[in-house]
Amino acid sequence: MPGENHGLDDLWRRDAWALAGGGADAVARQHAQGKRTARERLDLLFDPGSFVEIGRHVTHRSQGLQDRRVPTDAVVTGFGLVDGRTVYAFSQDFTSMGGTLGEMHARKIQAVQDLALQNGVPLVGINDSGGARIQEGVDALDGFARIFARNVRASGIIPQISVIAGPCAGGAVYSPALTDFIVMVERTSHMFITGPEVVRAVLGEEVSLEALGGGAVHAEISGVCDLLAKDEEECFRSVRRLLSYLPSNNLEDPPSSSGAAAVVSSLPFLREAVPGDPRLVYEMRDIIAALLDPGSFLELHARWGQSAVISLGRMAGRAIGVVANQPRVRSGCLDIDSSDKIARFVRLCDTFNLPLLTLVDTPGYLPGVDQEHRGIIRHGAKVLYAYAEASVPKVSLILRKAYGGAYIAMCSKGIGCDLAAAWPQAEIAVMGPEAAVNIIFRREIQGATDTAVERSKRMDDYRTAYCHPYVAAERQYVDTVLDPADSRSWICSAFAALDGKRADPPARKHGNLPL
């Protein structure tokens, strides 16, 4: 009849209640902690006005909470556009019952997980929660289990990015741990299996939230955090930038940047960028930034496993992954953490069709009792496994030192590199001259009148005979010896030539990754 609004008043009332979250006081407390609300975070993630919410009117059905209603059951879910591409997301609402997860909360997350996988688009999870909702008991635990199963099902098919925007504790930490990237915020993000109270009760240790599981801890010590942001604005800029390098799913190629300078120019300064003396250090990040398109260098795990550098970037607009040794830290040796860091990144790039550029300057795997006892053998084997398994285009450039097992591991031709080059000062050998002459010419040195002079002479002879790139070039272990100034041009050409690479792996369920 004229004047009737067909239930719109009720809809608007319900919408207003859901949109208010935990109410003005709870929102004010959230802001006072330097944290945004669930919906404000989605506004930062998505292109303006593109977010579409689903499940707004979902609420719990727990007998233990009959007298308490929870807006949207403490999680906002839906989809929107990031740089014009569809992305699904959930954002836990700490202002509503601490963002705790119960049966229906979990079902909402599971629904967007399913939709993202079915439609082959990325999923971003924004975590800010007190954990499992105690009043819902095993229903909450089962909800977590079903989320974890979906994380695994989607792994390697669609990109999954986890933002830790507040507490993430107990079983809740395993969903982010199963995703491709974890982004944290300084001072407001915390992840741990058991909190300070439990640590104090069980072990008698006093520890703060920040010292136990803050962003700095996971960025520098545990390696759990891929990117650490100063605030939430930077956090979501990082997430959007991450997505710009990744395809929507594993059947697509990564997006290219039409705005990137495709002109491949000579870089004469690279001729002097690496010291001739192999004992001197330099900053590998400067080399990477010079080779990539301007402004495209996005480093991951910058504070962890620092004897290696891993990054996303672009060359002539093409998105690639970069792995490099870092001579400034442990001379670029492969240790346990850097091995794990490289291996996982190589597998990530292979999963999402990102060609791999490997820049080599390493004297080997890090020696020592500590590394041996902690399992450098099994951790180092992960690098070999990852490169040998990867079927994307793989290009390697040896800048200076490439010795022993580390030469093999850092994407040598034998382990599966498609095209390899070396700079003229490259030293490719079983070991460096200092160690080699002490083994090969030990008796001659000991019997010499002047051992220092004899050792120096033997080292010069070793370098002349073995320690240069032309022995490897003669045997096609490297495809060319480059003028360093031509490196960017050669790498861009190499990737272009490998653009049609196809792999035909043997049929198997899956390999058995080293422990």
Side-chain angles (χ1 to χ4, degrees), residues 323-510:
V323 176
N325 305 114
Q326 173 58 290
R328 290 179 64 89
V329 179
R330 294 180 168 179
S331 300
C333 281
L334 293 176
D335 60 14
I336 286 171
D337 287 345
S338 62
S339 293
D340 287 351
K341 172 175 166 176
I342 291 171
R344 189 169 193 273
F345 182 69
V346 168
R347 301 192 85 204
L348 172 89
C349 291
D350 190 47
T351 291
F352 293 118
N353 307 315
L354 287 157
L356 279 160
L357 170 63
T358 304
L359 303 177
V360 186
D361 188 352
T362 176
Y365 282 97
L366 185 66
V369 174
D370 175 69
Q371 289 285 304
E372 294 290 357
H373 287 186
R374 290 171 54 205
I376 185 62
I377 294 172
R378 56 188 174 86
H379 289 275
K382 294 178 185 179
V383 182
L384 296 162
Y385 190 104
Y387 271 122
E389 179 187 50
S391 60
V392 293
K394 290 172 283 190
V395 174
S396 295
L397 175 59
I398 301 172
L399 279 61
R400 193 168 60 174
K401 290 177 284 188
Y403 297 156
Y407 155 73
I408 300 170
M410 290 297 291
C411 202
S412 66
K413 292 290 288 272
I415 209 70
C417 174
D418 297 300
L419 290 169
W423 284 358
Q425 68 265 43
E427 298 181 352
I428 306 169
V430 173
M431 61 183 65
E434 294 85 353
V437 298
N438 286 334
I439 295 173
I440 301 172
F441 303 111
R442 178 174 57 87
R443 291 180 180 175
E444 289 84 348
I445 293 171
Q446 289 176 347
T449 304
D450 189 327
T451 58
V453 171
E454 183 67 18
R455 180 178 288 106
S456 178
K457 176 183 177 300
R458 295 294 184 175
M459 287 171 57
D460 290 342
D461 292 344
Y462 181 85
R463 285 193 177 94
T464 301
Y466 303 108
C467 237
H468 55 73
Y470 299 103
V471 173
E474 289 168 2
R475 291 159 174 77
Q476 210 172 359
Y477 297 137
V478 297
D479 295 291
T480 187
V481 179
L482 281 178
D483 178 343
D486 297 331
S487 296
R488 175 176 158 87
S489 174
W490 185 84
I491 294 166
C492 287
S493 298
F495 280 132
L498 296 169
D499 200 40
K501 182 181 177 182
R502 296 291 181 267
D504 187 21
R508 61 178 176 181
K509 188 173 183 179
H510 56 73

Side-chain angles (χ1 to χ4, degrees), residues 265-275 282-292 315 359 397 399 423-425 482-489 491:
S265 58
S266 177
L267 300 170
F269 86 92
L270 288 180
R271 293 171 179 157
E272 308 298 328
V274 175
Y282 61 95
E283 178 53 74
M284 181 61 79
R285 293 182 181 90
D286 294 340
I287 307 291
I288 299 171
L291 293 173
L292 295 175
M315 297 198 76
L359 303 177
L397 175 59
L399 279 61
W423 284 358
Q425 68 265 43
L482 281 178
D483 178 343
D486 297 331
S487 296
R488 175 176 158 87
S489 174
I491 294 166

Side-chain angles (χ1 to χ4, degrees), residues 214-231:
V217 168
H218 291 305
E220 298 171 12
I221 300 172
S222 73
V224 167
C225 172
D226 294 88
L227 288 168
L228 181 62
K230 294 179 181 178
D231 53 36

Side-chain angles (χ1 to χ4, degrees), residues 56-89:
R56 175 178 292 176
H57 302 294
V58 171
T59 188
H60 68 81
R61 55 182 181 180
S62 170
Q63 296 298 314
L65 293 167
Q66 286 179 325
D67 299 327
R68 184 169 182 178
R69 298 178 68 205
V70 182
T72 67
D73 209 45
V75 64
V76 182
T77 56
F79 57 90
L81 301 178
V82 175
D83 292 330
R85 295 195 299 158
T86 299
V87 173
Y88 278 84

